[in-house]
Amino acid sequence: MPDFTRWPSFPFEGDMRVKKLAAPVEVEPPRSGEDASDCVACGTPDDAYIWVSERWRVRAMDRPTGLPMVLILECRSHLDLGDLPNMLAAELGVMTVRLERAIRSLDGVARVHVNRWGDGSAHLHMWFLARPYGRLQLRGTFLSLWDDILPVIPEAQWRENLALVAAWLADFGGKANAEPAHIQWESPATFSPPTAVDNEPETSVDTEDNRRPATLSDIEASRPAPSGPGDSGTVVQQENPTPQDHGVRDFDAPPTAAGRVVDASGGSRPANDGGPDRAIPRGPQSGNGSPMNDMKATLPGQH
């Protein structure tokens, strides 16, 4: 048996024997995708990849595996490694470093192994395998074998890792297609809207329309009826009027001091002995000599 069977990273133990080496063939069979029209990579749409750009694409396995992350970097052009032009060859180096950094940034990843096996497919594809942190037994060349042996990681974690790598690559360009797993929100087990207490009379909803008059006529209707001649005359100007104070005010004129009366001519004077909220109507009279007719001009309904 070769020495590597005794390495700590070798995934098998027990009695084993080496297979008999087969004789070489005269003509090797064609690889998958030798003809671009039959190439699986060329016929796969972009939405099957976690990240795509104008010249490169990155795809993952169909399902989670034992390693935190296994990704494949492919070029869009149907070329093998030795067929790359200088521009794509230079970009391959940049993409390799960029993708290695993105995978290594994931939690729980210690190293990223980059491999290229060219016997399976003629279309260039580079493998990126993440070794879990602290798993020293997985170091070295047998990491791809351990991927099929280790327990499968949770799918939610796998999808989140794919989304993070895709977002990292998208910061430099291209388009990220991978999204993290959606959170399954659960509604409370018991939920019921508040109900009215038994034997309690229902009240109408206090809405904005119920609290505020809609028109000027509503304001006139809500004003208390006059109890004397002074109530239909001038109005005492008050500071900081409350919303219930529907007295006549000229909002374009400067405010007057507290306790002063606004008369029909727009001037002000001290309130007389009729009380703080009552005033005897005075001021210029109309041609018929009636102060009541002059005061009607100040009512909102006559504006």
Side-chain angles (χ1 to χ4, degrees):
M1 295 294 292
D3 292 339
F4 65 76
T5 60
R6 293 185 290 272
W7 293 358
S9 60
F10 188 69
F12 308 105
E13 61 183 359
D15 295 336
M16 302 183 66
R17 58 191 177 94
V18 180
K19 289 182 177 180
K20 184 180 178 179
L21 187 62
V25 298
E26 294 182 1
V27 179
E28 291 193 0
R31 297 175 298 175
S32 173
E34 290 286 2
D35 187 355
S37 60
D38 298 331
C39 179
V40 175
C42 293
T44 305
D46 281 355
D47 56 6
Y49 292 74
I50 69 167
W51 175 85
V52 296
S53 70
E54 183 180 356
R55 292 181 289 274
W56 300 94
R57 300 193 293 182
V58 176
R59 65 183 175 95
M61 303 294 99
D62 296 335
R63 61 185 63 89
T65 58
L67 297 179
M69 183 58 57
V70 177
L71 294 176
I72 299 176
L73 173 65
E74 297 176 355
C75 61
R76 280 192 180 272
S77 303
H78 186 72
L79 299 170
D80 203 349
L81 180 62
D83 301 328
L84 295 178
N86 291 339
M87 183 186 69
L88 288 181
E91 286 186 352
L92 176 60
V94 175
M95 288 301 305
T96 300
V97 174
R98 187 175 296 168
L99 186 53
E100 191 274 345
R101 288 175 178 171
I103 299 175
R104 188 159 42 89
S105 69
L106 300 175
D107 292 338
V109 173
R111 298 285 185 272
V112 179
H113 293 196
V114 181
N115 300 278
R116 183 258 175 176
W117 294 284
D119 289 329
S121 175
H123 196 118
L124 173 63
H125 56 288
M126 305 282 292
W127 290 79
F128 293 74
L129 301 92
R131 177 176 70 81
Y133 187 88
R135 297 287 187 177
L136 301 182
Q137 191 178 0
L138 308 184
R139 294 180 298 178
T141 57
F142 302 113
L143 184 62
S144 59
L145 301 179
W146 280 108
D147 185 37
D148 293 330
I149 300 172
L150 297 172
V152 176
I153 65 174
E155 183 173 357
Q157 177 185 352
W158 177 67
R159 292 189 179 276
E160 182 177 359
N161 290 342
L162 292 178
L164 291 174
V165 172
W168 179 294
L169 296 176
D171 284 342
F172 298 93
K175 177 185 176 183
N177 293 330
E179 296 182 355
H182 298 287
I183 300 176
Q184 300 295 333
W185 295 104
E186 296 183 359
S187 59
T190 57
F191 174 79
S192 59
T195 57
V197 181
D198 295 340
N199 301 327
E200 181 178 341
E202 296 183 358
T203 58
S204 60
V205 180
D206 187 16
T207 61
E208 188 71 15
D209 295 336
N210 294 334
R211 296 195 306 266
R212 182 176 298 173
T215 63
L216 190 59
S217 300
D218 296 337
I219 299 177
E220 293 289 346
S222 63
R223 185 175 300 170
S227 59
D231 290 336
S232 60
T234 57
V235 181
V236 177
Q237 183 81 9
Q238 300 179 3
E239 288 185 333
N240 300 326
T242 60
Q244 291 76 17
D245 185 0
H246 301 296
V248 179
R249 299 178 180 87
D250 184 3
F251 290 99
D252 294 329
T256 59
R260 299 187 65 83
V261 179
V262 179
D263 56 24
S265 64
S268 63
R269 54 180 175 75
N272 58 6
D273 55 358
D277 296 327
R278 300 173 58 87
I280 299 175
R282 297 180 180 179
Q285 299 180 354
S286 60
N288 56 12
S290 173
M292 183 64 68
N293 293 334
D294 292 329
M295 295 309 301
K296 288 182 180 179
T298 63
L299 294 179
Q302 304 298 326
H303 286 175

